[in-house]
């Protein structure tokens, strides 16, 4: 479904697909709206990260086949120490599952700028 969505959009306007961000909710975290919504999911943060890496790989391959621009932030977003999202990318609010807007924009902007020239 997602690939069809990308094809449909790309037929209307040139698009750029960005790799999916990694999970930021730590194991054992039991507060916050998103954590409460996903409390039935028993996968660890590491397992969710591995699933995200696989999803990103599959979408990257589809984008390559379809000639859709793709920005892969996986290697710049993951820690070599534990294989989880870099602590610097985590939101300052521990209950906010989104990346830190400032850090994420700094990570993304060099890639986006290549498409603006």
């Amino acid at each position: 479904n997602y690939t069809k969505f990308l094809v449909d959009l790309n037929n209307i306007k040139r698009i750029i697909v960005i790799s999916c961000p990694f999970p930021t909710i730590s194991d054992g975290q039991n507060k916050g709206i998103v954590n409460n919504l996903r409390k039935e999911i028993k996968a660890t943060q590491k397992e969710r990260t591995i699933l995200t890496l696989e999803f990103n790989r599959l979408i990257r391959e589809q984008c390559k086949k379809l000639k859709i621009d793709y920005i892969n932030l996986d290697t710049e977003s993951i820690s070599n120490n534990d294989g989880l999202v870099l602590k610097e990318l985590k939101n300052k609010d521990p209950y906010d599952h989104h990346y830190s807007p400032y850090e994420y924009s700094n990570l993304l902007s060099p890639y986006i700028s290549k498409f603006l020239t």
Side-chain angles (χ1 to χ4, degrees):
N1 287 338
Y2 185 57
T3 301
K4 183 185 177 331
F5 172 70
L6 294 177
V7 169
D8 291 347
L9 279 180
N10 203 49
N11 286 332
I12 298 168
K13 209 56 142 161
R14 177 185 176 203
I15 63 169
I16 302 167
V17 177
I18 303 169
S19 57
C20 186
F22 294 121
T24 61
I25 297 175
S26 302
D27 296 341
Q29 185 174 334
N30 57 8
K31 292 184 180 179
I33 294 170
V34 173
N35 193 56
N36 284 332
L37 291 172
R38 65 166 299 282
K39 64 185 170 191
E40 300 301 320
I41 299 171
K42 301 301 181 201
T44 65
Q45 185 179 10
K46 181 71 170 184
E47 290 168 335
R48 291 179 280 126
T49 300
I50 291 168
L51 184 62
T52 304
L53 282 164
E54 178 63 10
F55 176 81
N56 287 345
R57 182 188 68 76
L58 292 169
I59 295 302
R60 185 173 60 247
E61 288 176 2
Q62 287 298 311
C63 286
K64 186 176 181 178
K65 286 179 192 174
L66 299 167
K67 297 182 177 21
I68 294 174
D69 293 313
Y70 183 87
I71 297 175
N72 183 5
L73 300 176
D74 288 356
T75 56
E76 291 92 341
S77 302
I78 202 164
S79 169
N80 290 328
N81 295 331
D82 60 10
L84 301 176
V85 66
L86 289 171
K87 288 177 182 38
E88 297 81 12
L89 284 174
K90 286 186 165 191
N91 199 297
K92 305 299 180 242
D93 177 354
Y95 304 117
D96 188 336
H97 71 284
H98 297 98
Y99 280 179
S100 163
Y102 179 78
E103 297 298 333
Y104 187 58
S105 64
N106 283 338
L107 177 66
L108 184 58
S109 64
Y111 293 94
I112 294 290
S113 65
K114 292 177 187 177
F115 293 101
L116 300 177
T117 58

